[in-house]
Amino acid sequence: MGADDTDQVNDPAVDPAAEETFAGPSAGEPSAADDGAAADEAADAPAGEQDREPEKDELAERTADLQRLSAEFANYRRRVARDKQTDIENAKASVLSELLPVLDDLDRARQHGDLESGPLKSVADKLEGVFTAQGVSSFGAEGDAFDPAVHEAVQHEGDGSNPVIGSVFRKGYTARERVLRTAMVAVVDGPAGTEPAGDGQDST
């Protein structure tokens, strides 16, 4: 064996084993850095789903709050409309009650024959037409059954069996089933076994 052959065999620069030991990963094989990146992506996916869960809960809570506020506002509007209508009815009843003495004067004038003709009859007819349009009607006539809720008894004759109205000193008035003024009456005992006449309400 010559000197040239000995140098070629012992030269570590061309040792095949050394080349295999220090060689890097071959093309196409995943490196350690690639494995770490894939692991990070896998860890991030469930975290995103968890972040969306609180958002869904908050959206549901806000939706429920909006529905509750909408219902409360609707109830408020209905209550305001109802209170407004009540105030209107109370105002009408107050004005009509103040005008009832005018009807009393017209009723007395009619009894004396002062409304049979002339300008006063025309005025009386127009005023009574206004009251009728507002649903005002009178009640309290002789023979009607006595009702302490709407009749004010200033006289009472008899033992109290089958009480009826004997005399009317002042008519009562209602406006659409609302009592504007009670009737002032005298109460007597009606005939036994007979029903009181009338339903207690007449037109103005």
Side-chain angles (χ1 to χ4, degrees):
M1 179 182 299
D4 294 338
D5 295 336
T6 304
D7 293 339
Q8 184 177 0
V9 173
N10 295 330
D11 188 357
V14 294
D15 189 355
E19 291 180 356
E20 292 181 1
T21 303
F22 294 100
S26 62
E29 293 183 1
S31 64
D34 294 336
D35 293 341
D40 291 340
E41 292 178 359
D44 289 342
E49 294 293 335
Q50 293 176 0
D51 291 341
R52 284 192 290 270
E53 288 299 327
E55 294 178 358
K56 293 180 181 180
D57 294 340
E58 184 177 359
L59 177 61
E61 183 179 355
R62 295 294 181 266
T63 302
D65 292 341
L66 181 60
Q67 292 174 346
R68 182 172 61 256
L69 289 175
S70 178
E72 291 177 356
F73 181 69
N75 292 334
Y76 169 77
R77 291 184 61 184
R78 285 193 294 267
R79 184 170 62 254
V80 169
R82 183 175 61 251
D83 293 343
K84 182 179 180 180
Q85 185 62 32
T86 300
D87 292 340
I88 293 174
E89 295 298 329
N90 290 337
K92 286 183 178 180
S94 178
V95 173
L96 293 173
S97 298
E98 294 293 331
L99 294 175
L100 291 182
V102 178
L103 290 181
D104 294 337
D105 293 339
L106 294 178
D107 191 44
R108 284 190 290 268
R110 184 178 290 104
Q111 292 175 1
H112 288 85
D114 297 335
L115 299 182
E116 295 180 359
S117 62
L120 186 58
K121 180 181 184 303
S122 177
V123 173
D125 291 342
K126 292 178 180 179
L127 183 59
E128 290 175 349
V130 172
F131 276 91
T132 301
Q134 296 299 322
V136 177
S137 60
S138 62
F139 65 90
E142 294 182 6
D144 289 346
F146 174 72
D147 184 356
V150 295
H151 299 144
E152 180 183 353
V154 295
Q155 292 181 4
H156 193 178
E157 298 178 2
D159 57 6
S161 60
N162 190 26
V164 297
I165 297 175
S167 301
V168 179
F169 302 114
R170 186 190 67 187
K171 284 185 177 181
Y173 288 94
T174 61
R176 294 185 174 88
E177 300 182 356
R178 178 173 182 169
V179 178
L180 298 177
R181 188 181 71 183
T182 58
M184 187 180 296
V185 300
V187 180
V188 297
D189 292 338
T194 59
E195 293 292 334
D199 59 0
Q201 291 191 6
D202 302 307
S203 61
T204 57

